Amino acid sequence: MRRSRIGMIGTKLLIFSIIIVLIPIVMMSYVSTDTISDLMTSNQESELDINLGILNERMDSVLVEFDTMTAYTANLPVVVTAVKNNDKDALQDFANGLEDQSWIDLAVFTDADGNVICASYGDDNAEISSYVKKLLGKNTIYAYDILPNEEASKYSDYELDGHDALTIFTVAPIYDGNSLIGTVTYVDIMNKDDYWVDRVKEVTGDEASIYLNNLRISTTCQKDGVDLVGELADEDIYETVSKKQDVRSTVTINGVPYLAKYSPIYNIDGEVIGMTCVGTPKSPFTVLLNSVIQKIFFIAFSSLIIAVFVAVILNKKIVDSIKKLKNSAESFGRGNYDERALIDTGDELEELAESFNKMADEIGKSDKKLKSDAHTLKTSFDELKEVDNLKSEILSIVSHELRTPLTAILGYVELLKDETAGKLNEKQKEFVSVISENSDRLKRITDNMSDLVTVDNKVLDIKRDKINLKKEVNDILRSFDHFAESKNIVLLEDVDNLDIKGDKSKIHQVLSNLIENAIKFSKKQTKVTVMGFEDKGNIHLEITDQGPGIPKEHLGKIFDKFYQIDSSSKREVGGSGLGLAVCKKIVESHGGSIWVESKIGKGTTVHVMFPLVK
């Protein structure tokens, strides 16, 4: 068992060494990994911002190009003349030629109120007219908006598959001098048109998409050579974008995870009608991050192995020194006080061994002295025990020898009080009363001496009778009337009519001792109060005087045998120092408790608790 404990110390030292090394390694690995991960994430987000900037730049350039084209068209004399003369044929020919020569989907000419005069599609369309009027009303030259599928399908170059179209509208006013006579409007449908998103693919190699609401209408993402249009974006993503916020998220395209960024597209009223999206694959960053993590953990593991190897060597040296010190301590513990620990490590263990050796020297000297003192102490103890036995024997003899003449005295005193031997005058009655009181006091002292011997022998004969405490207290107070009157002390009683079970003579002895002490130590012309009441299933007695009080440092000792407070009042009234010790023993033998509270100059209260008979 002892060897295993030494082994446990070595194991603990090894574990502590590993922990000490492991903590910084783990922290370094975590911080490094976290920092690199944050850096890579930051790079990915920067790349997404760049890609989104490229896409927005392409879309803005188209808007500028459309604006330039409409402005140029609006200033052509042939267009101004045709609009002024409401020449639909000339405008229709011009619009058809314009659509054939450019990549716009629809060219529209309107009057000054925005009503369509003619369009390259060849239809006087009220739907287009409403968009033109909205642009004129907002004084806006270009905007994004949504055309219903039924209208957009008429002039789209692609099948819209039943979906509405995200459309660019550009409008330029046509003036005759300073008078607005009409407008020229270009319309371009963005569905399935990769012109915008291809720019991102060309520059960065990453993917880009354009959405109408959350429907993908244009993208560089393909599967088997076919653009992945018509798919819906995640509802949570679009819900956030519709609140005019950019969103970063991870999406999966053809089973490949991408880090994507979404940005809203607004119409002329500032409402979100779609969104742009750019995405970059996560795999290159993931591969790089995994590679860095592997290298970090390789370094950490290698450092840990080296640390463990060094710790094992150092721990062995420490454990060997501890074993030497342990063996010396065990030998010393078996009583070999000449044992010394010889350790030469040049560190704290050597200092510990030196301290052990000094301790061994001192203990060796102390052992010899203790043996000598123990012999002297045993001799003194035997002598004290003999004296204590002699004291008990003397007390027993004295109390026994005093009782015989005291009994005779008490008997003759009672005869005198009963005037059996003849009539007594008042003075004689007073003398007899004094003799009777002091005889009773002497009897209580002899009873205390006898009980003290019994207490020391731990034998106390208790009879259990029903006792009414109110009657008992009243009887005792009456017996002390003369003693109290001699000091002009008023005796007060307020005890409830409650019963306990106990030895009547012993209870009488306790109450007499306590009430006598209260009168004895009270100042003249004061009062002594005895109160009794029910307290949580017990009867609680309080005997209170108005004496000088007991100092706090003496309260814990007043129940010790022969203990007396060294004070002028104590010397004046006298006492054996047995009464309270006997009272405590009797009260506790009845299952009760006793304690004292006192204030210097105000008086003392003795508390006694007895179990209540119900």
Side-chain angles (χ1 to χ4, degrees):
M1 179 63 72
R2 291 176 181 174
R3 288 183 180 177
S4 66
R5 287 178 181 173
I6 296 295
M8 287 175 65
I9 291 175
T11 303
K12 288 178 181 178
L13 288 173
L14 180 59
I15 292 173
F16 291 155
S17 301
I18 293 173
I19 290 174
I20 290 172
V21 175
L22 197 59
I23 289 174
I25 289 176
V26 170
M27 291 181 66
M28 181 194 71
S29 301
Y30 173 78
V31 171
S32 300
T33 303
D34 190 59
T35 302
I36 293 172
S37 177
D38 289 344
L39 181 60
M40 290 183 177
T41 300
S42 177
N43 288 339
Q44 283 182 307
E45 292 178 352
S46 296
E47 185 171 336
L48 289 176
D49 290 338
I50 293 171
N51 292 347
L52 194 60
I54 294 173
L55 179 56
N56 289 333
E57 182 183 7
R58 170 57 68 92
M59 294 176 71
D60 290 342
S61 67
V62 170
L63 291 175
V64 172
E65 184 178 345
F66 275 26
D67 178 44
T68 303
M69 290 171 60
T70 54
Y72 175 77
T73 304
N75 288 311
L76 290 175
V78 62
V79 171
V80 174
T81 301
V83 171
K84 181 179 179 181
N85 297 324
N86 198 21
D87 189 349
K88 291 185 178 181
D89 293 335
L91 291 174
Q92 186 70 57
D93 291 339
F94 187 88
N96 291 337
L98 186 63
E99 183 180 353
D100 292 338
Q101 297 173 17
S102 68
W103 46 274
I104 61 173
D105 292 310
L106 181 65
V108 180
F109 293 96
T110 73
D111 59 21
D113 296 324
N115 299 310
V116 175
I117 299 173
C118 72
S120 58
Y121 179 72
D123 186 20
D124 188 10
N125 190 288
E127 190 77 34
I128 297 298
S129 178
S130 65
Y131 287 100
V132 175
K133 290 178 180 179
K134 186 189 294 185
L135 289 170
L136 289 174
K138 295 282 187 177
N139 196 26
T140 302
I141 57 175
Y142 49 74
Y144 296 99
D145 219 319
I146 300 174
L147 272 180
N149 174 264
E150 181 180 354
E151 177 66 24
S153 297
K154 296 176 183 178
Y155 43 85
S156 174
D157 293 335
Y158 306 101
E159 283 293 330
L160 298 181
D161 303 324
H163 301 301
D164 295 339
L166 181 63
T167 308
I168 297 175
F169 287 89
T170 61
V171 61
I174 301 173
Y175 291 97
D176 179 21
N178 293 325
S179 301
L180 177 65
I181 61 173
T183 69
V184 56
T185 300
Y186 289 165
V187 180
D188 189 67
I189 296 174
M190 301 176 69
N191 294 44
K192 295 187 179 182
D193 191 343
D194 298 335
Y195 177 76
W196 294 271
V197 295
D198 283 345
R199 181 61 178 167
V200 177
K201 191 77 171 180
E202 293 169 3
V203 176
T204 66
D206 292 331
E207 308 295 344
S209 300
I210 297 175
Y211 288 82
L212 169 62
N213 294 325
N214 67 332
L215 175 70
R216 184 187 287 158
I217 60 171
S218 175
T219 183
T220 58
C221 302
Q222 294 185 338
K223 183 176 182 181
D224 300 328
V226 179
D227 290 346
L228 296 176
V229 295
E231 293 185 353
L232 297 176
D234 186 271
E235 290 183 3
D236 292 336
I237 292 175
Y238 183 68
E239 183 179 354
T240 304
V241 172
S242 65
K243 295 176 182 177
K244 303 181 181 181
Q245 298 177 17
D246 290 351
V247 176
R248 286 186 174 86
S249 179
T250 299
V251 296
T252 302
I253 302 174
N254 289 334
V256 178
Y258 281 77
L259 184 66
K261 182 175 182 180
Y262 297 80
S263 186
I265 298 175
Y266 302 95
N267 65 7
I268 192 172
D269 296 318
E271 299 170 339
V272 177
I273 59 173
M275 53 187 179
T276 55
C277 172
V278 291
T280 182
K282 297 184 68 174
S283 55
F285 295 94
T286 304
V287 171
L288 179 58
L289 179 60
N290 291 338
S291 175
V292 172
I293 291 174
Q294 288 175 359
K295 291 177 181 178
I296 289 173
F297 276 100
F298 175 76
I299 294 171
F301 181 75
S302 301
S303 301
L304 183 61
I305 294 299
I306 294 171
V308 170
F309 178 74
V310 173
V312 168
I313 297 174
L314 293 176
N315 289 345
K316 186 177 184 306
K317 293 183 67 176
I318 294 172
V319 170
D320 288 345
S321 299
I322 293 175
K323 284 181 179 178
K324 288 182 181 180
L325 188 57
K326 181 209 69 157
N327 293 334
S328 296
E330 288 179 346
S331 177
F332 190 83
R334 290 191 293 267
N336 182 13
Y337 296 132
D338 294 328
E339 178 68 31
R340 298 294 181 269
L342 302 177
I343 297 176
D344 183 17
T345 58
D347 54 19
E348 286 81 359
L349 284 174
E350 184 176 343
E351 292 179 1
L352 180 61
E354 291 175 356
S355 298
F356 172 82
N357 294 336
K358 290 179 182 178
M359 178 193 69
D361 292 339
E362 293 299 323
I363 290 177
K365 295 175 183 178
S366 299
D367 179 66
K368 294 177 182 179
K369 188 174 185 305
L370 280 173
K371 286 179 180 178
S372 174
D373 292 344
H375 177 73
T376 304
L377 186 61
K378 185 178 183 305
T379 303
S380 300
F381 176 76
D382 292 339
E383 292 174 354
L384 286 173
K385 188 174 182 181
E386 185 177 349
V387 170
D388 188 63
N389 291 335
L390 181 61
K391 178 264 297 181
S392 297
E393 186 177 349
I394 291 172
L395 286 174
S396 180
I397 292 171
V398 170
S399 63
H400 178 73
E401 292 300 324
L402 285 175
R403 278 181 179 176
T404 301
L406 185 57
T407 302
I409 292 171
L410 288 170
Y412 280 109
V413 169
E414 288 299 320
L415 289 174
L416 288 172
K417 288 172 69 176
D418 294 340
E419 296 183 328
T420 304
K423 281 280 186 180
L424 300 176
N425 58 38
E426 291 303 319
K427 197 66 174 178
Q428 289 171 334
K429 288 180 181 180
E430 182 180 350
F431 290 165
V432 170
S433 179
V434 172
I435 294 169
S436 177
E437 287 178 3
N438 283 280
S439 298
D440 287 338
R441 288 179 62 195
L442 186 57
K443 183 178 183 301
R444 284 194 293 276
I445 292 173
T446 57
D447 288 342
N448 286 342
M449 293 170 65
S450 177
D451 285 339
L452 183 62
V453 175
T454 304
V455 168
D456 287 342
N457 294 329
K458 298 184 179 177
V459 176
L460 198 61
D461 187 19
I462 298 295
K463 297 178 182 179
R464 301 285 180 176
D465 297 317
K466 189 173 182 181
I467 304 169
N468 185 278
L469 279 181
K470 183 176 182 67
K471 181 178 181 306
E472 194 69 23
V473 169
N474 279 323
D475 290 345
I476 294 170
L477 288 176
R478 281 198 302 272
S479 69
F480 284 114
D481 279 343
H482 189 274
F483 183 32
E485 287 174 4
S486 67
K487 299 181 67 176
N488 289 327
I489 292 175
V490 179
L491 301 179
L492 301 175
E493 175 267 329
D494 184 14
V495 179
D496 293 345
N497 191 25
L498 299 170
D499 298 327
I500 66 168
K501 267 196 172 184
D503 190 310
K504 186 171 182 178
S505 64
K506 301 295 184 186
I507 297 299
H508 185 91
Q509 182 180 349
V510 169
L511 296 178
S512 295
N513 266 325
L514 296 178
I515 293 172
E516 182 184 6
N517 282 345
I519 298 171
K520 186 192 304 181
F521 293 106
S522 286
K523 299 174 184 178
K524 292 182 179 181
Q525 298 179 346
T526 58
K527 62 183 178 181
V528 171
T529 305
V530 182
M531 297 181 65
F533 50 90
E534 186 176 351
D535 185 2
K536 298 179 181 178
N538 298 289
I539 182 166
H540 189 162
L541 287 173
E542 294 180 353
I543 297 97
T544 304
D545 64 48
Q546 293 180 330
I550 302 172
K552 188 175 182 180
E553 62 270 18
H554 294 289
L555 286 177
K557 302 177 182 178
I558 61 175
F559 292 105
D560 295 347
K561 293 178 292 184
F562 301 108
Y563 185 81
Q564 297 187 61
I565 301 171
D566 186 17
S567 65
S568 58
S569 62
K570 185 68 180 176
R571 288 195 297 270
E572 180 182 343
V573 298
S576 64
L578 298 175
L580 289 178
V582 173
C583 287
K584 187 174 190 294
K585 181 65 178 180
I586 293 173
V587 170
E588 290 178 347
S589 67
H590 282 76
S593 59
I594 183 171
W595 71 96
V596 175
E597 294 177 347
S598 186
K599 292 184 178 180
I600 298 298
K602 293 187 177 180
T604 301
T605 299
V606 181
H607 299 265
V608 183
M609 296 273 274
F610 287 114
L612 183 64
V613 176
K614 295 262 180 137

